[in-house]
Amino acid sequence: MAHPHCVAPLCTKETEGFRLCARCRDELVATLSELPRLYQGCEKLLRERYRVEAGGATPSAIGLSEAVRFARRHLRETLAGWSALTAQERGERGPDPSKVHAMTVFLRKNANWLAAHPRAGEWAAELTELSAGVGRDHSNRRQHVA
Ligand SMILES: [Zn+2]
């Protein structure tokens, strides 16, 4: 009997009992562990990235603070959405939607459940995009594409 394939973007591994393969799930747990630090450090990360993209020019303070505010809000809202869905469907009390660290802890605790959820692929795609959006470099990842 053929096993279903992992639903994470760019992954073609077979999975058993989950929608995400163990490797993608572990990668998401690692991403969740890094998000509070990225949230704190995203101003510095974005400043660096803008400088590289602009060929060495320092970004304007207004442009940068807008980008930081947007990236942080997007990160908080994405985590809040998945935390609320998890809490609601599991009948648990969810974390405070303004507390980034508490939400990442909660989602990590529920990573196995989320890896088996019908929306696991969406979860994987959003988290990966989120961490890239606040500065994490994914260019060396995804080498396990079969
Ligand atoms: Zn996978």
Side-chain angles (χ1 to χ4, degrees):
M1 198 180 99
H3 292 301
H5 286 99
C6 176
V7 295
L10 306 177
C11 184
T12 56
K13 282 172 95 87
E14 290 184 349
T15 67
E16 213 172 333
F18 293 98
R19 284 169 197 261
L20 293 175
C21 69
R23 182 132 188 198
C24 287
R25 187 199 55 217
D26 291 349
E27 194 172 303
L28 288 176
V29 169
T31 299
L32 284 169
S33 311
E34 283 182 54
L35 281 178
R37 190 177 55 79
L38 289 171
Y39 182 79
Q40 293 301 329
C42 79
E43 181 168 352
K44 183 166 172 281
L45 290 162
L46 289 176
R47 191 188 298 129
E48 290 302 314
R49 190 162 71 185
Y50 279 27
R51 194 174 291 149
V52 171
E53 282 171 6
T58 306
S60 77
I62 294 170
L64 181 68
S65 70
E66 274 289 288
V68 168
R69 210 170 37 241
F70 178 81
R72 286 195 169 145
R73 190 178 62 217
H74 183 52
L75 191 148
R76 271 198 317 273
E77 285 175 353
T78 304
L79 291 176
W82 289 105
S83 296
L85 175 143
T86 304
Q88 192 186 4
E89 293 191 16
R90 304 207 77 181
E92 281 183 34
R93 194 193 166 88
D96 182 336
S98 68
K99 301 267 195 305
V100 168
H101 184 258
M103 291 191 286
T104 62
V105 170
F106 178 75
L107 290 172
R108 253 157 56 204
K109 206 178 74 192
N110 288 291
N112 278 343
W113 182 82
L114 280 159
H117 194 273
R119 288 175 68 188
E122 223 180 301
W123 182 55
E126 283 191 13
L127 274 194
T128 304
E129 187 224 290
L130 199 62
S131 65
V134 287
R136 182 170 164 191
D137 181 11
H138 282 275
S139 57
N140 294 323
R141 322 228 8 136
R142 297 289 171 205
Q143 283 166 345
H144 61 287
V145 174

